[in-house]
Amino acid sequence: MVYVVRFMTFNKTDFSGFADLILDAVCVVDEAGYFVYLSAACERIFGYRSDELIGTPMIALVFPEDRERTLNAAAEIMSGHPNLHFENRYVRKGGGIVHIMWTARWSEKDRLRIAVARDITEYKRTESVQTALHMISEAAHAAGDLPELIARLRDIVGMLLPFVSFAVAVCDEKNGRPAFPCQRDSACFDLQVLAAGAFCAERHGRPSSAAELAVDGNILMMPLHSERGPVGAMLLATDGAGNYVERDGELLSPLAGRIAEAIECKRQQERLQHTAQYDELTDLPNRRLLHDRLETALIRARRNRDCMALLYLDLDRFKEINDSYGHAAGDVLLREAADRLKHCVRDADTVARIGGDEFIVLLEGLHAREEAARVADKIRAALQRPVSVNDDVLTISPSIGIAFYPEHGEEAQALLHHADAAMYAVKHAARSLGGQSADCPPMASDGR
């Protein structure tokens, strides 16, 4: 792409006659950087008529992130070094980005910069989409979890379209409602409502288009489908300075399927990981995850010289209830016990089921042994409340043994062994008193 123009004297009338026939835009900029001439093609490329731009600074149209290197390139051209393949981005009238490849020379005699602009937006868009598709596939494998994947998708989509708010709504597998795994934008309430509505419409077989959900043209919604069906919806919002157009939706459309597949892949990985680490019946951490958390807690306790406690408990007479009322009733009791245990501790603590009717409670960052005893009392009170199973009302009592770090051991196995022994000591004492383990003094639960 080379156009040779001789400016012996710059006569706009003579020059424009053939310049307007060129499909690329011919632009002339004076020494101060202001437009003095633009051919007719500038309206098709930039959205402005030539008379709207004459006398305005060229740099004002350049995409902000490209302005510095554009000015550097202009200075180099004006020093006598033509540039035949310079690329940058311009902001079209009414919003939207146009990619330009420039061929530019400096006329020392006329003190003018003469350039020809070729619109390469479609080529750059195709190239960007292919790059984005590859990055989405990489993100699906590299992201550690779904929120991290959504954050990566946010950055990838941001390479293609500008936005001030970004949201992805996916179906929560537990309750079927839209959920937002990663939301960092502050002004997102309306965006979330739209995403939820779009997603619900998709789930009920009523496809929703971006036009149906657009608000003043500054919101773009993209339904996300995988081979299994609707996965969710992705929404972008601008600040109102420029509206999205149909071309923007067409740009993102090839990404929708790949994004949906990436989300499904990550959720499947999380499901498999959850199955490996959590008890199927109670959804509490299992023995494997407990061991990992206990080892990590011990590292923190050693580093910070903290006290921590391990509560080992089982449910008295559980086997008798299971045999008398059936395994279904036993499962109800175990799930109810798990739920009550979680409400007895802090979010930072761990409640795990290690098998049968045996549970472990890991308490970190204790300031005194009495804190663990109070938690044990709280657990007893919670578990002793009646449980309705079908037409029966059942009651259970726990036997609890406590081990403290570092008094009863500095390694995980030693603490578990001590807490287990303390629990059986409490159970034996309760049987000696007629089976009422709740009557044992709170501090007796540590087995001493």
Side-chain angles (χ1 to χ4, degrees):
M1 177 187 65
V2 177
Y3 296 91
V4 180
V5 180
R6 298 184 181 278
F7 279 80
M8 300 304 293
T9 58
F10 183 64
N11 187 314
K12 295 180 184 178
T13 302
D14 294 341
F15 179 66
S16 63
F18 78 88
D20 286 346
L21 299 176
I22 302 174
L23 294 178
D24 298 329
V26 180
C27 306
V28 180
V29 178
D30 65 16
E31 192 172 10
Y34 288 81
F35 287 114
V36 297
Y37 173 80
L38 297 102
S39 67
C42 78
E43 185 172 0
R44 176 179 59 82
I45 297 175
F46 302 111
Y48 295 93
R49 300 189 312 274
S50 59
D51 61 311
E52 293 181 279
L53 295 180
I54 299 298
T56 63
M58 171 275 299
I59 199 66
L61 269 70
V62 177
F63 189 69
E65 293 181 8
D66 293 351
R67 288 176 182 174
E68 183 177 356
R69 64 186 188 86
T70 298
L71 290 173
N72 292 338
E76 186 176 352
I77 291 168
M78 293 170 68
S79 67
H81 299 88
N83 196 326
L84 304 181
H85 301 290
F86 179 72
E87 295 181 15
N88 63 358
R89 293 168 292 178
Y90 276 66
V91 180
R92 282 179 54 86
K93 183 178 182 179
I97 304 298
V98 58
H99 293 260
I100 301 295
M101 178 181 286
W102 293 96
T103 292
R105 293 180 181 273
W106 172 250
S107 172
E108 184 63 31
K109 178 180 179 181
D110 300 297
R111 307 299 294 175
L112 295 170
R113 192 165 72 248
I114 305 99
V116 178
R118 171 162 293 179
D119 184 353
I120 59 170
T121 303
E122 289 306 316
Y123 168 77
K124 298 297 290 188
R125 284 161 72 98
T126 300
E127 183 180 65
S128 298
V129 167
Q130 292 303 315
T131 300
L133 288 170
H134 179 70
M135 293 178 68
I136 292 169
S137 297
E138 287 188 334
H141 294 286
D145 54 22
L146 187 55
E148 183 183 345
L149 172 62
I150 301 300
R152 288 174 180 250
L153 293 175
R154 183 186 195 279
D155 295 336
I156 293 170
V157 173
M159 295 168 50
L160 301 177
L161 286 179
F163 55 78
V164 295
S165 292
F166 175 91
V168 172
V170 299
C171 178
D172 188 300
E173 294 182 306
K174 293 183 178 179
N175 56 32
R177 298 176 181 175
F180 298 84
C182 176
Q183 183 60 64
R184 297 184 299 183
D185 299 315
S186 56
C188 63
F189 177 77
D190 291 339
L191 207 58
Q192 290 188 357
V193 170
L194 283 170
F199 179 76
C200 290
E202 288 292 322
R203 294 287 290 181
H204 288 85
R206 299 189 302 274
S208 303
S209 68
E212 290 173 344
L213 293 172
V215 178
D216 295 328
N218 69 323
I219 290 182
L220 177 65
M221 189 281 291
M222 183 62 62
L224 302 176
H225 295 268
S226 71
E227 292 183 356
R228 297 174 56 186
V231 173
M234 178 175 68
L235 279 92
L236 284 67
T238 68
D239 57 5
N243 293 333
Y244 293 119
V245 295
E246 187 175 345
R247 274 178 62 184
D248 297 324
E250 294 171 354
L251 176 64
L252 292 185
S253 184
L255 307 185
R258 189 70 59 88
I259 290 174
E261 290 173 2
I263 292 174
E264 283 288 272
C265 177
K266 187 54 60 182
R267 295 178 80 175
Q268 178 64 17
Q269 292 176 5
E270 291 185 346
R271 283 192 290 267
L272 293 174
Q273 183 177 9
H274 189 87
T275 300
Q277 294 182 325
Y278 286 82
D279 175 56
E280 182 179 3
L281 178 65
T282 63
D283 203 37
L284 293 178
N286 61 16
R287 186 183 296 269
R288 178 184 300 179
L289 182 55
L290 170 67
H291 179 77
D292 291 343
R293 291 190 180 180
L294 181 53
E295 292 292 346
T296 302
L298 284 169
I299 293 173
R300 281 194 292 264
R302 295 186 192 105
R303 182 178 62 241
N304 302 327
R305 297 184 179 181
D306 284 340
C307 176
M308 55 177 277
L310 204 65
L311 279 63
Y312 199 123
L313 65 100
D314 75 357
L315 307 179
D316 298 332
R317 299 190 311 109
F318 177 76
K319 185 178 184 303
E320 177 183 332
I321 292 174
N322 213 29
D323 292 341
S324 300
Y325 295 91
H327 292 291
D331 289 348
V332 171
L333 277 178
L334 290 172
R335 284 193 291 265
E336 182 64 24
D339 186 62
R340 294 182 185 184
L341 284 170
K342 287 188 290 186
H343 284 86
C344 289
V345 299
R346 304 164 297 182
D347 290 339
D349 298 323
T350 295
V351 177
R353 181 189 178 206
I354 59 173
D357 62 329
E358 295 183 322
F359 299 84
I360 295 286
V361 178
L362 173 61
L363 306 175
E364 295 189 64
L366 301 180
H367 299 291
R369 289 164 55 100
E370 287 74 16
E371 293 181 52
R374 284 195 292 271
V375 172
D377 285 340
K378 189 176 180 180
I379 289 173
R380 288 191 191 91
L383 294 185
Q384 287 174 342
R385 295 199 306 269
V387 179
S388 296
V389 180
N390 298 325
D391 296 329
D392 299 305
V393 177
L394 307 177
T395 57
I396 52 174
S397 296
S399 292
I400 306 174
I402 305 179
F404 291 96
Y405 169 88
E407 295 96 312
H408 300 135
E410 297 187 2
E411 302 297 332
Q413 197 58 40
L415 289 172
L416 286 167
H417 178 75
H418 185 93
D420 185 24
M423 183 268 291
Y424 276 103
V426 169
K427 187 180 291 289
H428 177 74
R431 287 171 181 166
S432 299
L433 294 173
Q436 299 297 319
S437 60
D439 294 337
C440 296
M443 290 307 296
S445 60
D446 66 3
R448 302 198 311 165

